[in-house]
Amino acid sequence: MADSAGLQFVSSYAFEAMQKVDVSRLAALSDPELRLLLPCLVRMALCAPADQSQSWAQDKKLILRLLSGVEAVNSIVALLSVDFHALEQDARKEQQLRHKAGGSNGESILVSQLQHGLTLEFEHSDPLRRLRLTLSELLAIMNKVVDSNGEFFLKSSELFESPVYLDEVADVLCILQAELPSLLPIVDVAEALLHVRNGDWFLCLLVANVPDSFNEVCRGLIKNGERQDEESVGGRRRTEALRQLCQMNPSQALNIRAMVVEECHLPGLGVALTLDYRPDTPDEAVSPLVSYVSGLLLGTNSKVRTWFSMFIRNGQQRKRESSSVLWQMRRQLLLELVAILPRSRSTHVPNNSGMEEEPGSGYSGLREEHVVKASALLRLYCALMGIAGLRPTDEEAEQLLQLMTSRPPATPAGVRFVSLSFCKLLAFPTLVSTPEQEQLMVMWLSWMIKEEEYFESAAGVSASFGEMLLLVAMYFHSNQLSSIIELVCSTLGMKIAIKPSSLSKMKTIFTQEIFTEQVVTAHAVRVAVTNNLSATITGFLPIHCIYQLLRSRAFTKHKVSIKDWIYRQLCETTTPIHTQLIPLIDAYINSILTPASKANPEATNQPITEQEILNVFRSAAGQGEGSRGGRQRYSITTQLLILYYILSYEENLLASTKQLAMMQRKPKSYSAALMDQIPIKYLVTQAQGLQQELGGLHSALLRLLATNYPHLCLVEDWVCEEEVTGTLPLLRKMMLPSNTCRYTQSQLHQAFQKLPSSSPRLMRILEHLTLLSPGDLIPYAEALTASMALLLEPAVPRRILQTLNKLWMGLNTVMPRRLWVMTVNALQPSAKLLHQQKYTQNDLMVDPLIVLRCDQRVYRCPPLMDIVLHMLNGYLLASKAYLHCHLKETADFDRQTQTVSNLGVPGQPETPEVTREELKNALLSAQDSAAVQLLLEVCLPTSKEQQLGANTESLLSSIRGSVPGKSKQGSLGPSSQGGHGGR
């Protein structure tokens, strides 16, 4: 409000003194400052106080002494001597009269017909008439505000415009509001004062004399305010009045700004208060203006974001004005931007621009203390341009480009700044408009490529801007512009509408000048892997780049080996598992099995070698499944990922045999010997307890196991696992003292060798082992299985056999395949043991009936027979899966070979695929039948058992014959019990 520019407003010092009733500070005020506060001070001195304390009595004396020398006090005392009750009644009658007359200016009860203008009447009037004149004028304005329905008007009033009587009118106004609060609510009076000249000055005086009403008045003015304050005269006057109020009480400025955001009214006021705000302890990192505007545009409240964006858009439509809050904001932001720019801020490229610049040169080095502020400014300008639609001026665009192409120090904040600058270039390529600016951008991008490795090592971060460069280059080469837009929005942390067509210039620069596809692949394979890769590492990592290159088949196209990089990255993983690892493995497997093009069927990646795979598992699992010899080198995450790779590779290889046969390609399958040395079941059991940290890896492994290794997914095994890992075993283990004696494998082996005399000692050892977890039992597996044949000797207690069965079932949950092979070899007949014939896993899958070629005494030992039946069931399932895979592997290649050989031969029969399937089914049926037949034969008594049965029957007959009178009854015994009854 320029009309009140020459008037003296209440200072913040004086207002604080009034708020706290600090008499000593009030006494320090100058006479002009004290004059503004007289209405309140006079009422304070004359009215009976509620505070009857001695301290207030002393303060009141000081106030009276302070007022004693001021001439204007007498006129205010005269105003307070009026009968306000009668005045209020007349005012209410006038309101009713005006209401009936429809608001027309008819006769007035408060003021009789005026002979002169309001100013002269006011000058010549006594205190009562002055009160009536002012009250009548104020009520007229308030009624007009109510009738205007929100449409702003500016009422011309001599009373509020005469510079001679402004102080007296202000005194009358303050006394009227204080004495007639129900007739003149302070919020309504404040609203009415906005519609007269000098209204902001009157408003500040009114609030200063009633300091407790500050927040109430401000909230009322904001609630009644416009959604866009700079669009109308009324909005600008309201903003200026509130701004003056906050200058009078700066401690509440941020609270008033919060009210503005809460109501989504007067956006210019929020910016103005931020421009006026001067914190006691300024934060050098980010200015209050940047923080405030960023919070509005990047916050989660969409209503606030839309409201403020409209303020920016509407403000740009008006011509540039120095009084506009929007242009003040833009000027301040530009000043902050220029203040942190390096010494040389011109975008003109020197003649020697092609030369490499020294890191310490002042050409474009951003100071370390300015990096965070620069990043905040970049994000803010991105939000202003992308969300609020700000169109930068030429000066703003030039300075922004200079800031984006500056070179920060190698710190984590510097890495973040470079990433933001790069994404801003992609989001707003129109910032680069001249050839000089384009050359500057190319130089900066070249610097990024050169320095990214140094930045990553010096800053100590895992996700540098080099990965983002590679990723964008790959997206440009594969024309995935939508992915680039998604990457930019994700990095900037905001949703920006970017047209794919606007990226054409950047695409040309990337694909033809900076990053050709061959350069991308050669560079990607040299990028260091991410150490301890997990889901906790955010940002764009090398794995994202490699994944995209694998999908686009760039490595195979340019004959770049990626196998070593993938292997190293898989070995550098930990929990929680990164979400990109499983897709990376799937894409890698696809690039091994499927050529990049039919024209070049050999263009595939190399698989991970068996030796590399063994190195991973040997560190934790020794030479076989579940053995835990050797030192730990690789995490459980690495082992599970390699296991997933092998199983998925084999499954995809089987699924692709038809296509591979047509291309006359037969990729190498991993050997059975390798699979025998991988602790599959142990790893899956470990993964079961880490499901939350492994994401979908555990379920993927279970699916692959059910398909390729059904014998590892037996229902009874899962039930047994629940028994082994349930509550009771846990309680038993808790009962085991920590200082209990630890038995070694050699002690266990010696106890077995000395049976039956060592039965008590062996029982103690076995009972101790039952308290251990299946994983802790693994070192004892060989000693337990190797001595099984010794338990077939007579006089071995049944309890030992039952305990051994329990331990075997526990080991079966973590190392089933190797345990089965050791058990089958240990239970061979003694004649075979002399020849030292050792069966392998492959032997047992080809012929599962080998399991039944064990020592005949096993069939008469129920605990061991239970183990044999369990292995037989597993190997029958394994044999079925083995034959299915074998048929699938060979059928397509044989058919393809036969088709090629039969070309030109009429009447030649087609491939015997149906016959092969029938043969497989017949073989499986024969195996099942043979197993059942062998088990039935096992149930028949042996010759020794028959002889023993006959001897027993003769003995019983002789005993019955020696007892008189019992022969008839006793004769029923042998026939009723049969040959096996005696046994």
Side-chain angles (χ1 to χ4, degrees):
M1 296 182 186
D3 46 333
S4 59
L7 301 176
Q8 180 173 357
F9 284 81
V10 179
S11 66
S12 59
Y13 181 87
F15 184 81
E16 186 178 359
M18 285 296 294
Q19 263 189 324
K20 298 178 179 179
V21 196
D22 190 337
V23 179
S24 59
R25 296 182 70 174
L26 287 171
L29 296 177
S30 64
D31 290 342
E33 287 181 309
L34 192 63
R35 174 68 184 85
L36 302 175
L37 306 174
L38 285 180
C40 180
L41 292 176
V42 172
R43 289 186 74 250
M44 200 183 299
L46 297 181
C47 297
D51 186 0
Q52 300 293 333
S53 64
Q54 185 66 28
S55 61
W56 171 243
Q58 294 298 325
D59 289 343
K60 190 173 181 179
K61 289 179 182 179
L62 291 174
I63 292 174
L64 288 170
R65 188 181 307 157
L66 187 63
L67 297 176
S68 61
V70 182
E71 183 180 352
V73 169
N74 296 325
S75 61
I76 298 176
V77 171
L79 291 173
L80 289 169
S81 304
V82 172
D83 184 0
F84 286 99
H85 179 66
L87 182 63
E88 182 176 7
Q89 288 182 334
D90 290 344
R92 293 195 183 279
K93 289 177 183 178
E94 179 167 327
Q95 280 186 318
Q96 292 174 1
L97 183 63
R98 287 186 178 182
H99 182 69
K100 290 178 181 178
S104 62
N105 293 325
E107 294 183 1
S108 173
I109 298 175
L110 285 171
V111 182
S112 58
Q113 189 172 5
L114 300 177
Q115 299 296 327
H116 307 286
L118 267 177
T119 307
L120 286 175
E121 289 287 342
F122 187 85
E123 180 183 359
H124 298 146
S125 299
D126 58 356
L128 176 59
R129 185 165 176 78
R130 286 188 173 191
L131 288 167
R132 286 177 175 273
L133 284 170
T134 306
L135 181 58
S136 176
E137 187 73 5
L138 185 59
L139 288 175
I141 299 171
M142 291 171 65
N143 288 333
K144 191 172 181 180
V145 170
V146 174
D147 297 337
S148 66
N149 294 323
E151 185 177 350
F152 182 79
F153 64 91
L154 186 62
K155 188 176 187 310
S156 178
S157 173
E158 289 183 58
L159 199 60
F160 293 100
E161 296 173 8
S162 174
V164 179
Y165 299 106
L166 286 181
D167 289 338
E168 286 80 358
V169 174
D171 293 339
V172 173
L173 180 66
C174 292
I175 294 298
L176 280 171
Q177 198 284 321
E179 297 295 337
L180 305 174
S182 60
L183 179 67
L184 301 173
I186 193 165
V187 175
D188 295 345
V189 175
E191 190 70 31
L193 290 175
L194 294 178
H195 297 77
V196 298
R197 298 190 185 278
N198 303 314
D200 55 344
W201 183 81
F202 282 107
L203 180 57
C204 286
L205 259 65
L206 178 64
V207 174
N209 283 276
V210 193
D212 293 343
S213 66
F214 180 86
N215 283 330
E216 180 187 359
V217 170
C218 291
R219 183 173 287 279
L221 291 177
I222 292 170
K223 273 194 171 185
N224 296 326
E226 296 80 358
R227 280 186 63 82
Q228 299 297 331
D229 48 359
E230 292 211 310
E231 297 301 302
S232 63
V233 176
R236 290 195 290 272
R237 290 180 68 86
R238 188 183 300 270
T239 296
E240 188 61 32
L242 283 162
R243 197 172 180 180
Q244 291 288 355
L245 285 172
C246 290
Q247 286 178 356
M248 185 175 70
N249 187 11
S251 64
Q252 290 297 310
L254 296 185
N255 290 338
I256 304 306
R257 190 179 72 176
M259 292 181 194
V260 167
V261 178
E262 180 184 347
E263 298 292 338
C264 284
H265 287 172
L266 311 176
L269 174 62
V271 176
L273 293 178
T274 308
L275 290 170
D276 295 340
Y277 177 63
R278 294 292 181 268
D280 297 332
T281 56
D283 183 7
E284 293 296 334
V286 181
S287 71
L289 181 61
V290 174
S291 302
Y292 174 67
V293 181
S294 299
L296 296 181
L297 292 176
L298 301 177
T300 57
N301 193 326
S302 59
K303 180 183 176 183
V304 171
R305 184 164 53 248
T306 305
W307 160 69
F308 195 78
S309 299
M310 188 62 66
F311 166 72
I312 302 292
R313 290 189 176 92
N314 294 343
Q316 290 184 110
Q317 295 174 3
R318 298 188 305 276
K319 62 180 181 179
R320 188 167 183 171
E321 304 171 0
S322 59
S323 61
S324 168
V325 176
L326 175 61
W327 286 105
Q328 292 176 23
M329 179 191 82
R330 295 179 69 168
R331 187 62 188 166
Q332 179 62 29
L333 289 176
L334 186 60
L335 288 174
E336 292 185 18
L337 191 154
V338 171
I340 63 174
L341 279 178
R343 288 192 293 275
S344 174
R345 294 191 297 273
S346 172
T347 53
H348 173 69
V349 181
N351 294 330
N352 61 345
S353 60
M355 301 297 292
E356 295 181 2
E357 293 154 1
E358 294 296 324
S361 68
Y363 171 63
S364 55
L366 196 63
R367 292 170 60 182
E368 184 173 356
E369 60 268 24
H370 291 155
V371 175
V372 174
K373 189 171 185 178
S375 298
L377 275 169
L378 281 184
R379 288 194 76 222
L380 175 57
Y381 271 103
C382 286
L384 287 170
M385 296 168 65
I387 298 175
L390 180 76
R391 296 185 297 273
T393 62
D394 292 342
E395 184 182 10
E396 287 173 334
E398 181 179 354
Q399 302 300 342
L400 269 174
L401 183 63
Q402 184 60 33
L403 178 64
M404 289 187 294
T405 54
S406 59
R407 305 176 185 183
T411 62
V415 172
R416 171 70 173 159
F417 171 78
V418 175
S419 302
L420 290 174
S421 300
F422 178 56
C423 287
K424 186 170 176 62
L425 276 176
L426 294 173
F428 307 103
T430 53
L431 292 173
V432 182
S433 56
T434 65
E436 291 82 4
Q437 291 174 339
E438 184 174 325
Q439 186 179 355
L440 179 67
M441 180 188 67
V442 171
M443 286 172 51
W444 183 71
L445 291 173
S446 302
W447 170 82
M448 284 179 66
I449 298 169
K450 176 185 174 185
E451 296 293 331
E452 65 93 9
E453 187 174 348
Y454 165 71
F455 264 68
E456 184 169 349
S457 60
V461 294
S462 300
S464 184
F465 48 80
E467 289 75 34
M468 189 182 299
L469 272 172
L470 280 175
L471 204 55
V472 170
M474 289 181 288
Y475 284 144
F476 272 132
H477 280 287
S478 57
N479 205 31
Q480 299 182 50
L481 300 183
S482 59
S483 299
I484 294 178
I485 294 172
E486 184 180 348
L487 169 64
V488 168
C489 293
S490 175
T491 304
L492 294 175
M494 62 191 80
K495 190 68 175 177
I496 299 177
I498 305 173
K499 294 180 180 179
S501 57
S502 66
L503 296 170
S504 56
K505 182 191 292 186
M506 295 295 291
K507 180 179 179 181
T508 303
I509 293 173
F510 259 80
T511 56
Q512 297 180 10
E513 295 185 36
I514 301 177
F515 269 120
T516 62
E517 191 175 67
Q518 190 168 4
V519 171
V520 169
T521 53
H523 185 80
V525 84
R526 293 197 303 269
V527 174
V529 299
T530 306
N531 293 328
N532 295 321
L533 176 64
S534 69
T536 58
I537 302 178
T538 57
F540 293 93
L541 305 166
I543 189 172
H544 294 95
C545 309
I546 301 299
Y547 173 66
Q548 289 299 328
L549 287 171
L550 280 172
R551 288 187 61 192
S552 62
R553 308 307 299 270
F555 293 113
T556 51
K557 192 184 302 182
H558 297 284
K559 298 180 180 179
V560 176
S561 175
I562 193 60
K563 183 259 295 181
D564 293 336
W565 190 97
I566 292 178
Y567 177 75
R568 290 198 305 272
Q569 184 61 83
L570 292 180
C571 293
E572 282 289 342
T573 56
T574 184
T575 53
I577 190 171
H578 197 280
T579 53
Q580 202 66 40
L581 282 167
I582 295 178
L584 176 77
I585 294 173
D586 293 337
Y588 174 54
I589 293 172
N590 183 56
S591 70
I592 295 173
L593 301 177
T594 308
S597 63
K598 294 182 179 179
N600 188 10
E602 298 301 322
T604 57
N605 282 313
Q606 295 299 314
I608 299 175
T609 64
E610 292 192 1
Q611 186 58 48
E612 289 171 331
I613 293 173
L614 279 177
N615 290 340
V616 171
F617 294 108
R618 185 173 292 130
S619 63
Q623 300 296 326
E625 177 167 7
S627 173
R628 298 201 293 184
R631 62 189 182 91
Q632 181 72 26
R633 289 179 53 201
Y634 298 103
S635 66
I636 184 67
T637 315
T638 297
Q639 295 170 355
L640 289 170
L641 287 170
I642 294 293
L643 176 62
Y644 173 78
Y645 159 76
I646 299 171
L647 298 178
S648 186
Y649 175 85
E650 293 295 329
E651 184 180 64
N652 281 275
L653 181 60
L654 281 178
S656 306
T657 49
K658 187 173 183 179
Q659 292 83 357
L660 293 171
M662 294 177 65
M663 292 184 289
Q664 294 294 303
R665 288 189 68 247
K666 191 172 183 180
K668 184 180 179 182
S669 175
Y670 288 109
S671 65
L674 171 68
M675 301 307 295
D676 290 346
Q677 297 185 70
I678 298 176
I680 298 176
K681 191 64 182 290
Y682 174 77
L683 291 173
V684 173
T685 304
Q686 295 293 103
Q688 187 173 356
L690 300 170
Q691 292 186 53
Q692 296 293 330
E693 297 179 338
L694 294 177
L697 181 58
H698 179 255
S699 57
L701 286 173
L702 286 182
R703 179 188 62 81
L704 292 169
L705 275 187
T707 305
N708 302 289
Y709 291 88
H711 51 294
L712 300 183
C713 300
L714 298 175
V715 176
E716 52 266 38
D717 284 351
W718 298 119
V719 174
C720 183
E721 282 186 26
E722 292 297 324
E723 294 177 357
V724 171
T725 60
T727 307
L728 289 177
L730 180 62
L731 291 174
R732 284 199 303 269
K733 189 172 183 179
M734 291 172 62
M735 294 169 60
L736 185 67
S738 58
N739 57 352
T740 185
C741 130
R742 300 292 180 182
Y743 296 102
T744 63
Q745 293 94 312
S746 60
Q747 289 174 324
L748 177 62
H749 180 72
Q750 291 173 6
F752 270 114
Q753 295 298 321
K754 296 179 180 179
L755 281 173
S757 60
S758 63
S759 295
R761 175 171 173 76
L762 178 60
M763 193 65 234
R764 283 196 304 272
I765 297 176
L766 295 179
E767 285 290 346
H768 169 78
L769 295 181
T770 58
L771 299 176
L772 303 180
S773 65
D776 295 332
L777 280 176
I778 292 174
Y780 300 92
E782 191 169 351
L784 286 171
T785 54
S787 305
M788 275 186 173
L790 300 175
L791 300 178
L792 297 174
E793 299 297 331
V796 174
R798 174 61 65 91
R799 187 177 176 185
I800 290 180
L801 291 166
Q802 291 173 338
T803 307
L804 179 70
N805 176 281
K806 185 178 180 180
L807 293 172
W808 191 94
M809 291 299 176
L811 283 168
N812 185 62
T813 62
V814 290
M815 50 173 296
R817 295 179 304 146
R818 183 164 175 258
L819 181 68
W820 295 356
V821 173
M822 291 192 299
T823 305
V824 169
N825 286 321
L827 293 178
Q828 290 184 62
S830 56
K832 289 188 177 181
L833 283 174
L834 295 176
H835 295 87
Q836 295 184 344
Q837 181 177 357
K838 297 291 183 182
Y839 294 111
T840 63
Q841 190 75 239
N842 192 64
D843 295 336
L844 294 165
M845 285 195 297
V846 172
D847 184 8
L849 299 182
I850 292 176
V851 176
L852 296 178
R853 299 174 194 163
C854 58
D855 194 313
Q856 296 297 310
R857 292 175 294 176
V858 172
Y859 300 134
R860 297 300 182 261
C861 180
L864 296 184
M865 184 63 178
D866 180 38
I867 292 174
V868 169
L869 292 176
H870 192 95
M871 293 189 298
L872 177 64
N873 185 26
Y875 277 124
L876 286 173
L877 288 173
S879 180
K880 186 180 296 185
Y882 170 78
L883 290 175
H884 173 76
C885 293
H886 180 73
L887 190 67
K888 186 74 175 174
E889 284 177 358
T890 56
D892 291 313
F893 284 100
D894 290 349
R895 182 176 68 249
Q896 186 67 22
T897 305
Q898 189 169 355
T899 302
V900 173
S901 63
N902 290 343
L903 288 176
V905 182
Q908 187 72 19
E910 295 184 357
T911 55
E913 186 174 348
V914 176
T915 305
R916 292 168 62 93
E917 185 69 25
E918 289 178 349
L919 285 173
K920 183 198 77 170
N921 293 334
L923 176 58
L924 292 174
S925 299
Q927 283 182 348
D928 292 342
S929 300
V932 173
Q933 180 66 31
L934 288 172
L935 289 174
L936 289 174
E937 291 179 0
V938 163
C939 295
L940 295 174
T942 62
S943 57
K944 290 184 178 180
E945 290 171 343
Q946 289 177 349
Q947 183 179 358
L948 179 62
N951 294 337
T952 304
E953 185 177 351
S954 301
L955 180 60
L956 288 174
S957 298
S958 62
I959 293 174
R960 292 190 191 100
S962 62
V963 180
K966 300 291 183 181
S967 58
K968 289 184 179 181
Q969 296 175 358
S971 63
L972 296 175
S975 60
S976 63
Q977 293 183 9
H980 297 286
R983 276 192 305 112

